[in-house]
Amino acid sequence: MKKLFIILSLVFTSNVFGQTYTLKKCVDLAVKNNPTFQRAYLNAELANANAAEAKARNLPQIQAFFAQGMNFGRSIDRFSNDYINQLYNSTYGNIQLGMPIYKGFQTRNLTESAKLLQQAEIQNVEADKNQLSVNLLKAYLDVLAAKELSAAAKKQLENSEIQLARQQKMMEAGTSGKLEALQFSNQAASDKGGLIDAQYNLQIARLTLFQLMNIKPNDAIEFESIIPYEIGEQTLNEITVNPVEFLPEYKSFDLQGQSFDRRIKANQAENSPELSLSGNYSTFYASSNPERTFFQQVNDTRNGSFSLNLAIPIFSKFQTSPRTQQLKIQKKMLDNTRKVRENTLQQDLESVKLMLNAFGERYKNASQQAEISKENLKLVELRIEAGTINPIEFSLAQANLEKAISNQIQTKFRWILQKKLLEYYQTGEFDFL
């Protein structure tokens, strides 16, 4: 009974306090559940099937054929070659063999092309996973930022309500007028609206994150805070390696280009002579020859053959040349797409470095403004207690503090995003801490 009580207590505690998701757990769930990413896996599986099909072309083709028939009316006796007019049964068996030997190494090139595409799809899976990780990182940081903004808005509302309560007491004591109380009441209402907006933005950010993970939104789930950096304190290390050399999407471009080369060679092989080996083995039985038993006839009529076949194409070049040209154009289009992506990557990389520095400086400035605004608000509150300040000055000080804290929070998480993106461009891997 005691054990049951402990188990029920643990279950109840888990349901009450919910779960805490880390960034890595969110990425793992998105990789598992996101339908857009699952499409990359399906493409990889299709490439595997195509590679297996291409490899199977190297195997000889063997087929067995059996037939059971009934003959009636006039027919030719297979044993005497005479015309007969009778009803009889016949059994026929045949095994055929066909094996390609040479056609300009076409089969080998097609097999290699399929293998290269298979490897390219594996790289595409990694590239899609990285892109999903970037999107999830942005959504995760948006949730953390919205959570801090909501907490700041709540604290600001609490402070306004404290000042409102103080003014109402002062009005009851006759040391302050109704106008001042109304002005503080208006400030509290405005701050409450700001809290409502902040909470709404938090719910939208959480919904976006849940949608990326493709799981049902759950208010009991909390998200672990990112280990804080010393914002803006890290020195910006120059990237000594080219991300193109290790990012999976560019490895995929290389593999696809090599696959096009193989396909071009395979297509040009249509102009080469084709050498193949074929074989045949057959036997039959007919009831029109009652003198010999079934197995005796099967043994008597067995026959086989092997042949080496050579086929020389004559006008195939008129068909292969346009296809070869199409493949070469497709490869040029692939190369052009790669160059566009490389240019975009370099632009993104430079932009990340610039924004990292900019957000670091902005965070320092916003932090200074927040400290100054806090001190200013404290002085204003002291003067309110002394009854020597207009409520408008409190509203202005409160607004300045709100703006400074909002800038501080937003620039902090934007800086963290740029920091993690820069680390990804430097190593090709994400830091999920």
Side-chain angles (χ1 to χ4, degrees):
M1 187 68 182
K2 184 177 180 181
K3 291 183 178 179
L4 179 60
F5 176 77
I6 294 174
I7 293 174
L8 291 175
S9 299
L10 290 174
V11 172
F12 176 76
T13 303
S14 175
N15 290 335
V16 169
F17 293 101
Q19 304 179 50
T20 299
Y21 281 16
T22 63
L23 175 58
K24 188 176 187 309
K25 183 174 182 178
C26 292
V27 171
D28 292 340
L29 284 172
V31 168
K32 180 180 177 181
N33 300 328
N34 189 280
T36 302
F37 180 71
Q38 290 302 312
R39 183 174 57 192
Y41 269 126
L42 295 176
N43 289 334
E45 291 180 3
L46 180 60
N48 292 340
N50 292 336
E53 179 187 11
K55 187 177 180 180
R57 294 193 187 102
N58 296 313
L59 301 175
Q61 295 182 1
I62 302 176
Q63 60 181 0
F65 176 76
F66 298 94
Q68 176 67 41
M70 177 180 291
N71 296 69
F72 56 90
R74 288 175 59 84
S75 58
I76 297 178
D77 189 349
R78 294 188 176 187
F79 297 93
S80 62
N81 288 329
D82 295 333
Y83 281 104
I84 58 175
N85 189 1
Q86 68 179 77
L87 179 68
Y88 69 93
N89 297 321
S90 62
T91 303
Y92 179 76
N94 175 262
I95 297 178
Q96 296 179 351
L97 166 69
M99 185 173 67
I101 298 178
Y102 175 80
K103 192 177 182 181
F105 301 107
Q106 183 183 56
T107 303
R108 187 176 72 178
N109 284 317
L110 288 174
T111 302
E112 290 297 324
S113 174
K115 288 181 180 179
L116 290 167
L117 286 179
Q118 179 186 19
Q119 297 171 15
E121 287 300 332
I122 293 175
Q123 296 299 325
N124 286 336
V125 170
E126 290 299 315
D128 286 357
K129 181 179 178 180
N130 289 341
Q131 184 58 52
L132 180 60
S133 298
V134 170
N135 295 337
L136 200 95
L137 173 62
K138 293 177 180 178
Y140 193 93
L141 293 177
D142 285 344
V143 170
L144 297 184
K147 183 178 179 181
E148 289 195 16
L149 289 170
S150 178
K154 183 178 180 181
K155 186 175 181 180
Q156 182 170 329
L157 174 61
E158 291 173 352
N159 188 47
S160 296
E161 290 177 340
I162 291 173
Q163 298 302 324
L164 174 61
R166 179 179 293 134
Q167 286 299 313
Q168 289 177 341
K169 290 181 179 180
M170 292 174 66
M171 184 181 67
E172 292 172 357
T175 58
S176 177
K178 184 176 181 181
L179 177 61
E180 287 78 6
L182 287 175
Q183 290 175 333
F184 277 101
S185 177
N186 181 63
Q187 179 63 41
S190 177
D191 291 339
K192 185 175 182 179
L195 176 60
I196 292 173
D197 291 340
Q199 291 175 339
Y200 171 76
N201 292 333
L202 175 59
Q203 292 299 319
I204 292 297
R206 287 173 59 90
L207 178 60
T208 301
L209 184 56
F210 282 118
Q211 287 175 341
L212 282 174
M213 294 186 289
N214 197 27
I215 62 176
K216 185 177 180 180
N218 186 348
D219 292 337
I221 294 177
E222 293 294 333
F223 298 99
E224 185 181 69
S225 297
I226 299 291
I227 295 177
Y229 291 94
E230 293 296 330
I231 309 297
E233 296 298 328
Q234 286 87 347
T235 58
L236 182 61
N237 298 323
E238 290 296 330
I239 299 179
T240 58
V241 294
N242 188 355
V244 173
E245 297 175 359
F246 55 80
L247 290 181
E249 51 264 45
Y250 298 98
K251 292 181 180 179
S252 176
F253 280 126
D254 293 337
L255 292 168
Q256 290 180 64
Q258 297 173 29
S259 175
F260 270 117
D261 292 335
R262 292 288 184 173
R263 288 171 61 187
I264 290 172
K265 291 181 179 180
N267 184 65
Q268 292 172 338
E270 291 287 344
N271 302 324
S272 303
E274 181 179 5
L275 186 65
S276 62
L277 178 67
S278 61
N280 180 73
Y281 187 84
S282 62
T283 184
F284 69 90
Y285 161 81
S287 62
S288 59
N289 184 13
E291 291 81 8
R292 306 289 287 174
T293 65
F294 177 83
F295 291 103
Q296 288 176 333
Q297 290 190 42
V298 168
N299 184 62
D300 293 341
T301 58
R302 56 189 173 84
N303 67 92
S305 65
F306 283 98
S307 62
L308 191 63
N309 310 306
L310 177 65
I312 301 176
I314 298 177
F315 295 107
S316 62
K317 191 171 287 189
F318 293 102
Q319 295 178 340
T320 57
S321 293
R323 287 200 298 266
T324 299
Q325 188 65 21
Q326 290 174 359
L327 291 171
K328 289 181 178 180
I329 293 174
Q330 290 176 10
K331 184 184 178 183
K332 289 181 180 179
M333 294 172 63
L334 177 69
D335 293 338
N336 183 70
T337 302
R338 178 195 172 99
K339 291 178 181 178
V340 171
R341 293 284 293 274
E342 286 183 9
N343 291 337
T344 303
L345 174 64
Q346 292 301 323
Q347 293 172 5
D348 292 342
L349 186 55
E350 293 300 323
S351 176
V352 165
K353 292 191 291 185
L354 290 174
M355 287 193 291
L356 184 68
N357 286 331
F359 286 131
E361 294 298 323
R362 288 178 61 183
Y363 176 78
K364 292 178 182 179
N365 180 260
S367 299
Q368 292 174 356
Q369 289 181 354
E371 291 299 322
I372 294 173
S373 298
K374 288 178 182 178
E375 291 296 325
N376 181 52
L377 184 61
K378 288 180 181 178
L379 294 175
V380 169
E381 290 174 349
L382 291 175
R383 294 176 64 185
I384 290 175
E385 293 178 8
T388 61
I389 194 170
N390 190 295
I392 296 178
E393 295 185 42
F394 171 77
S395 299
L396 180 60
Q398 185 91 314
N400 289 335
L401 178 60
E402 175 190 7
K403 183 179 180 181
I405 292 178
S406 177
N407 288 337
Q408 184 185 31
I409 293 173
Q410 292 178 7
T411 52
K412 176 176 71 172
F413 285 101
R414 289 175 182 175
W415 187 92
I416 292 175
L417 173 61
Q418 305 308 315
K419 178 66 175 176
K420 288 187 174 294
L421 288 177
L422 185 61
E423 291 172 350
Y424 168 66
Y425 288 135
Q426 289 176 323
T427 63
E429 298 180 355
F430 277 103
D431 175 17
F432 292 113
L433 297 178

